């Protein structure tokens, strides 16, 4: 099991890591992070957003390093890695932990999307029925294998380009004076915003799971960094758009500033742009949840080799559907997403560097034995 | 494989079937709302729906209903303040009334004096209605304006919308719900909205209503004053200023481009200084037959500059007296000041010194000498 080489017909070329990294980072929080970002550091929030984006480059370096080192020992992916590092039992426990984290992330994403549909378009939409039907689509995608999932990531990237170009429309009546005077907020305020930006940027660490599925992984590195830089640029523009378009007091009242911004755009044929934007967001949701479900089902397969991935997937989809229906209102949703974000931030900045350190320790120990 | 494909197709079908539908022929789309305050937290609410009375369905051979001719086109009722009219008027609706295409919200002066905050809060909370609709104050009653008859066949909501839209390209400052919210929720700004009025069988746009947070605080009337207000507010391209350089002698300056730039100094002192410099490039469209290009460019231009400067300064000092800030001068000072003291700004605002510098460039004076 440990050293199975992934068949080349199931691998994707290194360029695709750009779409995978980018796609996983764009989630539901892109529509709402602006208000949260402005809470502590007002019109300086873009500084935090930029710093966060740049810091992800560092984390990515650690992740790639970790995976690259691992190649000579076994399967370069987190599940096998944890088993090797910490032994079978603790490793499996940790695997279950990261699986449940990944599972909660996709549940939150899916539930967040359903919430937006319920608030903006169809208040009478049943959470369970939508989640169930949607799970079938996800199931179909994941059954196509990792390549099919990557395809949806590429498509979501292409589809979203026009939507992100809409930000240009903000320039017309922007209040650029909102950005002045710059750098007035203290480092403490900026750090708080930095912490709150976690949920936007997490997602790129999923490369820990699909790394063996990349052909010529040495070349994937630069595409990962390109992906991260693109996301940073995107988040930066969106936070600037919100700052120049809404007065500080107004931004405090908007739950989804991006949607409210789209709400004020009006084309002759398309009266209400945000409806299109919301429906469009489906092509962000599909790849994200697909990859999440793929990771979790693969995790189950690796932990319990008796279960085949396709049966694990059915179980995962059922669980996602049920969990979505269990989150009833916004309080619960906020509470869960708050915790998930904190755990994600911890994973990124503490746990992953720790893994690299541990790997180095093991290597040293191994060298001593020889 | 077959099962997968079938389930895929089925899931798309199911997705489209799991919520309610609104067939466009079977609903009434409210396009404008009018609020008339009648005291005691009670309002007369009026909504209008477009009514396309174009005869029968073409090709139906005389059978069937006329397309939408039988649809009602307005409804009104008395209700309490701060409630969505579309919901209230549902019981009068011949078919389901929806608010999604709302284009216009009208208030009478009494409503503005009473305060807009309830209805604004509601509008901000409401996901259904877009943010590019116009808010306007009505001189007189909104009910009369919305249910009156006009010299045009297009629905009243569209008529009033076009009127405001057209004028906001010219002399009137741009105000839609988006910019209104910007100023309303902003910390050092106050909103404003256009005033419209029914005159016999016409609609006229007469001025700009100024608000202090959410309450009426006065108005700017007259095209020239509105031109000055707009020039202080934003960069714009079309507009007319009528200048009377001698009693009975007018020239009309057409604005080709105008640029406003502000600067602020000593923002945290008790008397902040604000300077506005306005640059206008204009055409003379109509003038005295005896004047030559040279005349325009010497004395008339200088006097016009002076007049604009003094009028701007008076306008701002009036705002300061009323303690309203539609121009967002407070926000301007904030952006120029490090560690801006916003809590004391309300007291310092009336003491702020405002100076205006106007330069006019007369580019052309027409095709005759």
């Amino acid at each position: 099991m440990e050293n199975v080489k992934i068949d080349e017909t199931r691998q994707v070329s290194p360029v695709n890591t750009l779409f995978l990294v980018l796609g996983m980072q764009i989630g539901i929080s892109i529509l709402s992070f602006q208000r949260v970002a402005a809470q502590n550091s007002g019109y300086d929030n873009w500084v935090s957003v930029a710093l966060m984006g740049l810091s992800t480059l560092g984390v990515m370096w650690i992740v790639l390093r970790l995976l690259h080192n691992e190649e000579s020992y076994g399967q370069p992916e987190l599940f096998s890695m944890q088993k090797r590092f910490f032994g079978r039992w603790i490793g499996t426990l940790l695997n279950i932990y990261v699986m449940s984290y990944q599972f909660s992330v996709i549940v939150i994403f899916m539930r967040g999307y359903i919430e937006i549909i319920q608030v903006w378009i169809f208040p009478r939409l049943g959470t369970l029925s939508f989640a169930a039907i949607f799970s079938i689509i996800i199931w179909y995608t994941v059954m196509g294998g990792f390549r099919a999932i990557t395809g949806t990531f590429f498509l979501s990237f292409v589809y979203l380009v026009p939507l992100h170009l809409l930000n240009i429309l903000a320039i017309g009546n922007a209040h650029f004076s909102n950005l002045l005077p710059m750098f007035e907020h203290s480092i403490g305020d900026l750090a708080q915003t930095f912490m709150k930006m976690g949920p936007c940027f997490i997602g790129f660490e999923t490369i820990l799971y699909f790394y063996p599925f990349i052909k010529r992984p040495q070349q994937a590195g630069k595409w990962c960094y390109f992906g991260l830089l693109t996301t940073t640029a995107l988040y930066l523009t969106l936070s600037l758009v919100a700052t120049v378009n809404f007065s500080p007091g107004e931004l405090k009242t908007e739950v989804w500033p991006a949607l409210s911004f789209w709400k004020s755009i009006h084309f002759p044929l398309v009266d209400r742009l945000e409806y299109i934007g919301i429906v469009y967001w489906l092509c962000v949701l599909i790849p994200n949840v697909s990859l999440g479900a793929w990771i979790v089902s693969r995790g189950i397969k690796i932990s319990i080799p008796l279960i085949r991935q396709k049966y694990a997937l059915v179980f995962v989809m059922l669980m996602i559907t049920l969990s979505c229906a269990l989150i009833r209102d916004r309080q619960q949703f906020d509470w869960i997403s708050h915790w998930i974000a904190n755990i994600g931030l911890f994973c990124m900045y503490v746990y992953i560097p720790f893994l690299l350190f541990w790997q180095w320790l093991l290597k040293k120990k191994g060298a001593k034995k020889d | 494989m077959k099962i997968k494909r079938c389930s895929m197709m089925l899931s798309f079908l199911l997705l489209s079937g799991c919520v309610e539908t609104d067939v466009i022929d079977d609903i009434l789309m409210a396009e404008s709302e009018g609020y008339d305050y009648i005291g005691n937290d009670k309002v007369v609410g009026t909504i209008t729906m477009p009514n396309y009375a174009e005869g029968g369905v073409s090709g139906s051979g005389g059978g069937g209903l006329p397309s939408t001719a039988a649809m009602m086109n307005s409804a009104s009722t008395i209700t309490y303040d701060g409630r969505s009219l579309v919901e209230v008027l549902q019981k009068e609706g011949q078919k389901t009334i929806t608010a999604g295409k709302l284009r216009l919200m009208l208030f009478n002066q009494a409503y503005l004096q009473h305060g807009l905050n309830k209805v604004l809060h509601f509008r901000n909370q409401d996901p259904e209605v877009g943010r590019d609709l116009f808010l306007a104050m009505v001189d007189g009653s909104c009910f009369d304006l919305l249910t009156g008859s006009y010299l045009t066949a297009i629905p009243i909501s569209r008529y009033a919308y076009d009127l405001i839209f057209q004028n906001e390209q010219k002399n009137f400052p741009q105000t839609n719900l988006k910019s209104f919210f910007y100023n309303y929720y902003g910390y050092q700004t106050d909103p404003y909205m256009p005033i419209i009025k029914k005159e016999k069988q016409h609609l006229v746009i007469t001025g700009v209503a100024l608000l202090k947070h959410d309450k009426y605080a006065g108005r700017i009337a007259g095209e020239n004053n509105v031109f000055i207000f707009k020039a202080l507010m934003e960069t714009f391209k079309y507009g007319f200023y009528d200048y009377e350089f001698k009693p009975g002698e007018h020239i009309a300056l057409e604005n080709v481009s105008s640029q406003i730039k502000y600067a602020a100094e000593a923002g945290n002192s008790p008397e902040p200084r604000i300077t506005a410099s306005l640059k206008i490039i204009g055409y003379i469209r109509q003038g005295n037959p005896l004047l030559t290009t040279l005349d325009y460019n010497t004395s008339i231009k200088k006097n016009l500059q002076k007049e604009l400067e003094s009028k701007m300064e008076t306008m701002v000092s009036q705002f300061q007296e009323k303690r309203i800030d539609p121009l967002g001068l407070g926000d301007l000072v904030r952006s120029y000041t490090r560690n801006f003291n916003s809590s004391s700004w309300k007291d310092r605002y009336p003491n702020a010194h405002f100076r205006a510098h106007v330069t006019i460039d007369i580019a052309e004076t027409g095709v005759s000498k």
Side-chain angles (χ1 to χ4, degrees), chain B residues 34-55:
Chain B
Y35 293 83
D36 288 311
Y37 190 68
I38 47 171
N40 247 344
D41 279 348
K42 287 270 189 304
V43 289
V44 176
T46 316
I47 58 172
T48 67
M49 287 77 74
N51 185 357
Y52 303 101
E54 283 175 10

Side-chain angles (χ1 to χ4, degrees), chain A residues 43 119-120 122-125 129-130 133-134 136-137 139-140 143-144 173 175 177-178 180-184 244-250 252-254 260-261 263-266 271-272 274-275, chain B residues 1 3-5 7-8 10-12 14-15 18-20 100-101 103 123-124 126-132 161 176-178 181-183 185-187 189 331-332 334-340:
Chain A
Y43 39 83
V119 170
W120 288 80
F122 301 120
R124 279 167 281 277
L125 178 81
S129 59
F130 185 89
I133 296 164
F134 198 75
I136 299 177
I137 298 177
W139 173 75
Y140 179 73
M143 285 305 275
N173 37 19
H175 303 258
S177 62
N178 278 3
L180 297 169
M182 283 181 189
F183 312 115
E184 214 189 45
V244 299
N245 249 286
F246 297 104
S247 51
E250 190 186 7
K252 273 189 186 161
T253 68
E254 304 295 336
S260 297
F261 166 62
K263 209 175 164 185
S264 47
I265 303 170
H266 160 214
D271 227 40
R272 303 292 303 288
E274 86 270 20
Y275 286 178
Chain B
M1 209 57 211
I3 301 175
K4 266 198 248 170
R5 288 232 176 106
S7 61
M8 190 68 191
L10 196 68
S11 63
F12 277 124
L14 287 171
L15 263 186
C18 64
V19 278
E20 76 274 24
K101 217 170 158 14
R103 285 261 154 269
R123 213 20 102 220
N124 192 25
D126 177 20
E128 212 181 330
V129 172
R131 306 187 116 202
D132 57 339
Y161 183 87
N176 55 14
L177 189 62
K178 177 179 183 280
F181 275 152
Y182 184 90
N183 291 326
Y185 286 108
Y187 294 132
T189 50
D331 198 54
L332 170 93
R334 177 202 56 76
S335 74
Y336 272 87
T337 318
R338 241 163 223 290
N339 305 317
F340 177 68

Side-chain angles (χ1 to χ4, degrees), chain B residues 35-36 106-113 136-146 150 193-200 202-209 216 218-222:
Chain B
Y35 293 83
D36 288 311
L106 304 174
F107 309 95
N108 69 349
Q109 189 172 333
Y111 196 101
L112 255 65
Q113 273 154 351
M137 186 182 115
V138 171
D139 259 348
S141 119
C142 303
F143 177 80
D144 290 346
L145 189 141
L146 286 174
Y150 297 93
M193 58 168 82
I195 305 173
I196 59 173
K197 190 177 172 187
K198 183 176 190 240
E199 256 175 21
K200 293 184 186 125
H202 290 284
L203 284 181
V204 225
I205 180 162
T206 56
V208 175
Y216 182 77
R219 66 168 76 196
I220 299 170

